[in-house]
Amino acid sequence: MINVLLVEDDEVDVMNVKRAFKKNNITNPLFVASNGLEALKMLRSDGNGEPPKVPPNRRLILLDLNMPRMGGIEFLQSLRSDPELKSIPVVVLTTSNQDQDRVEAYQLNVAGYILKPVTFSNFVETMATLNNYWTLCQLI
């Protein structure tokens, strides 16, 4: 099982991911954070012996870039500078078609950059393709 953390502030997009998982029979645990700060908190233990909310093994992050408080690029910078979190694979799933965002994301070692499909049926297809990909990948 791969523990999937969706970092997304748009409730409609969160609902679409959940629906697409269900339609594709993707049973991986799905955790949701509404911004980068919340996501980092979910990935780290609290220092009082409490384990992270997202189990520390076999993690994958689906990341939106345009979010309040801490956006996707800032989140990636923090993630990559943390020795315990830097190896987590991240797939950007965003509406941003800006070349600068794409370049910055790849410079921060994302595993992929996917534009959110406009229609739900294409979104379901995208999630199915992603599921096939991460099923084949050997994650730590």
mmCIF file of all heavy atoms in Angstrom, residues 34 40 92 113-114 140:
data_model
loop_
_atom_site.group_PDB
_atom_site.id
_atom_site.type_symbol
_atom_site.label_atom_id
_atom_site.label_comp_id
_atom_site.label_asym_id
_atom_site.label_seq_id
_atom_site.Cartn_x
_atom_site.Cartn_y
_atom_site.Cartn_z
ATOM 1 N N SER A 34 -4.705 20.979 3.271
ATOM 2 C CA SER A 34 -5.201 22.100 2.462
ATOM 3 C C SER A 34 -4.123 23.121 2.110
ATOM 4 O O SER A 34 -4.390 24.066 1.374
ATOM 5 C CB SER A 34 -6.369 22.794 3.169
ATOM 6 O OG SER A 34 -5.946 23.294 4.414
ATOM 7 N N LEU A 40 3.285 19.523 5.765
ATOM 8 C CA LEU A 40 4.536 19.251 6.483
ATOM 9 C C LEU A 40 4.255 18.735 7.883
ATOM 10 O O LEU A 40 4.918 17.813 8.363
ATOM 11 C CB LEU A 40 5.397 20.518 6.536
ATOM 12 C CG LEU A 40 6.034 20.933 5.211
ATOM 13 C CD1 LEU A 40 6.661 22.319 5.334
ATOM 14 C CD2 LEU A 40 7.057 19.911 4.742
ATOM 15 N N VAL A 92 3.223 16.793 -9.186
ATOM 16 C CA VAL A 92 2.465 18.036 -9.203
ATOM 17 C C VAL A 92 1.198 17.805 -10.020
ATOM 18 O O VAL A 92 1.252 17.269 -11.133
ATOM 19 C CB VAL A 92 3.301 19.198 -9.797
ATOM 20 C CG1 VAL A 92 2.454 20.438 -9.990
ATOM 21 C CG2 VAL A 92 4.503 19.489 -8.906
ATOM 22 N N TYR A 113 4.774 16.318 -13.600
ATOM 23 C CA TYR A 113 4.026 17.571 -13.585
ATOM 24 C C TYR A 113 2.817 17.359 -14.481
ATOM 25 O O TYR A 113 2.956 17.226 -15.697
ATOM 26 C CB TYR A 113 4.903 18.701 -14.121
ATOM 27 C CG TYR A 113 4.358 20.093 -13.890
ATOM 28 C CD1 TYR A 113 4.863 20.886 -12.866
ATOM 29 C CD2 TYR A 113 3.353 20.629 -14.694
ATOM 30 C CE1 TYR A 113 4.392 22.176 -12.648
ATOM 31 C CE2 TYR A 113 2.874 21.902 -14.489
ATOM 32 C CZ TYR A 113 3.397 22.684 -13.467
ATOM 33 O OH TYR A 113 2.925 23.950 -13.252
ATOM 34 N N ILE A 114 1.643 17.299 -13.881
ATOM 35 C CA ILE A 114 0.421 16.989 -14.625
ATOM 36 C C ILE A 114 -0.553 18.149 -14.517
ATOM 37 O O ILE A 114 -0.839 18.624 -13.412
ATOM 38 C CB ILE A 114 -0.232 15.698 -14.079
ATOM 39 C CG1 ILE A 114 0.728 14.520 -14.235
ATOM 40 C CG2 ILE A 114 -1.564 15.429 -14.775
ATOM 41 C CD1 ILE A 114 0.264 13.254 -13.541
ATOM 42 N N ILE A 140 10.146 3.417 -1.512
ATOM 43 C CA ILE A 140 10.734 3.039 -0.234
ATOM 44 C C ILE A 140 9.669 3.045 0.835
ATOM 45 O O ILE A 140 8.818 3.840 0.888
ATOM 46 C CB ILE A 140 11.849 3.992 0.216
ATOM 47 C CG1 ILE A 140 12.504 4.728 -0.922
ATOM 48 C CG2 ILE A 140 12.879 3.254 0.989
ATOM 49 C CD1 ILE A 140 13.561 5.707 -0.531
#
